[in-house]
Amino acid sequence: EVQLVESGGGLVKPGSSLKLSCVASGFTFSSYGMHWIRQAPKKGLEWIALIYYDSSNKYYADSVKGRFTISRDNSKNTLYLEMNSLRSEDTAMYYCAKGNNYGDYWYFDFWGPGTMVTVSS
Amino acid sequence: DIVLTQSPVLAVSLGQRATISCRASQSVSISSINLMHWYQQKPGQQPKLLIYRASNLASGIPARFSGSGSGTDFTLTIDPVQADDIAAYYCQQSRESPPWTFGGGTKLELK
């Protein structure tokens, strides 16, 4: 059974940093691209980052480019999201999701339960 | 970016058919491959994949869910609607990316 479990969220002040983790199990983590997707309170879904299975490529949404960094450690079956210069508009539930793709045509076949990040003074 | 438009709310009676639509600002199809996917999100839970590439049922999803469409217009159908289906439904395109974009969601409510 595929399982994704995020952690690392919390309440932080604007301008601060936070690092999220997502531990994967039930599939060969090192063979799949992984994504971070967020959802602001009472809002829709926003894709924010992708990392290829071997970390060879990374992509970011414009809203987080230059502030957030996606990474992975295949030896630990763990995905990361390092978030710097946090803003109030980054307040959201952050989900990691397993990617399924045909070329660059990705969809998200399994999601973790999410970790909440609140940015407030 | 490709913009996906969904109606915010759909009210339906139990046992009836629900038809949820998603319209893309440009085609999300390549030849016969329709790059539209559907997710269900119940309150307090993470999204779950229902349909991939417009019409393929994800593993473990009941056959009362189906998807159709091509080009810019896509539909998720639930027939018959059960109480457990009350949730928000999101479409997502992967034709042009990044970013991989989602529709605003349709909240399925009981009439």
Side-chain angles (χ1 to χ4, degrees):
Chain A
E1 180 194 3
V2 172
Q3 287 201 329
L4 300 166
V5 180
E6 304 91 339
S7 61
L11 172 62
V12 295
K13 296 187 185 317
S16 59
S17 299
L18 205 57
K19 188 172 184 176
L20 307 183
S21 300
C22 170
V23 176
S25 60
F27 66 103
T28 305
F29 180 74
S30 59
S31 296
Y32 291 90
M34 295 294 295
H35 301 253
W36 286 100
I37 297 161
R38 69 183 180 184
Q39 186 173 34
K42 306 292 187 187
K43 299 293 186 182
L45 299 164
E46 179 189 18
W47 171 87
I48 56 172
L50 157 67
I51 185 168
Y52 277 33
Y53 71 100
D54 60 355
S55 302
S56 60
N57 284 292
K58 302 176 185 181
Y59 299 98
Y60 299 93
D62 287 346
S63 58
V64 305
K65 199 174 294 182
R67 299 187 300 124
F68 290 12
T69 301
I70 189 171
S71 63
R72 65 192 295 159
D73 184 337
N74 286 344
S75 69
K76 296 182 178 178
N77 285 358
T78 303
L79 175 73
Y80 302 101
L81 184 69
E82 188 157 12
M83 305 185 294
N84 297 319
S85 304
L86 282 162
R87 307 165 180 167
S88 58
E89 54 264 38
D90 295 318
T91 294
M93 183 70 79
Y94 284 73
Y95 298 103
C96 71
K98 174 179 170 288
N100 197 313
N101 70 307
Y102 173 72
D104 282 328
Y105 307 127
W106 292 88
Y107 60 94
F108 317 109
D109 57 4
F110 290 95
W111 301 57
T115 188
M116 186 68 200
V117 174
T118 303
V119 184
S120 175
S121 54
Chain B
D1 299 355
I2 295 180
V3 176
L4 303 180
T5 301
Q6 299 182 244
S7 297
V9 177
L10 178 66
V12 64
S13 301
L14 292 178
Q16 299 302 303
R17 174 185 297 175
T19 302
I20 297 170
S21 64
C22 177
R23 174 163 287 176
S25 58
Q26 61 192 82
S27 176
V28 299
S29 300
I30 300 175
S31 300
S32 59
I33 305 173
N34 299 302
L35 296 164
M36 185 68 79
H37 322 286
W38 291 93
Y39 303 85
Q40 176 194 65
Q41 186 178 31
K42 296 179 181 178
Q45 295 186 18
Q46 69 269 45
K48 179 197 295 186
L49 177 68
L50 294 177
I51 301 283
Y52 63 96
R53 290 198 294 273
S55 59
N56 297 279
L57 207 60
S59 177
I61 302 302
R64 65 178 183 277
F65 291 90
S66 63
S68 63
S70 64
T72 60
D73 292 297
F74 294 85
T75 299
L76 172 71
T77 300
I78 311 170
D79 190 11
V81 169
Q82 298 185 1
D84 189 52
D85 302 333
I86 299 307
Y89 293 86
Y90 294 90
C91 55
Q92 174 245 323
Q93 67 81 26
S94 51
R95 172 62 181 91
E96 277 197 3
S97 45
W100 291 269
T101 52
F102 293 87
T106 296
K107 192 174 179 183
L108 188 66
E109 296 181 343
L110 285 179
K111 195 179 286 184

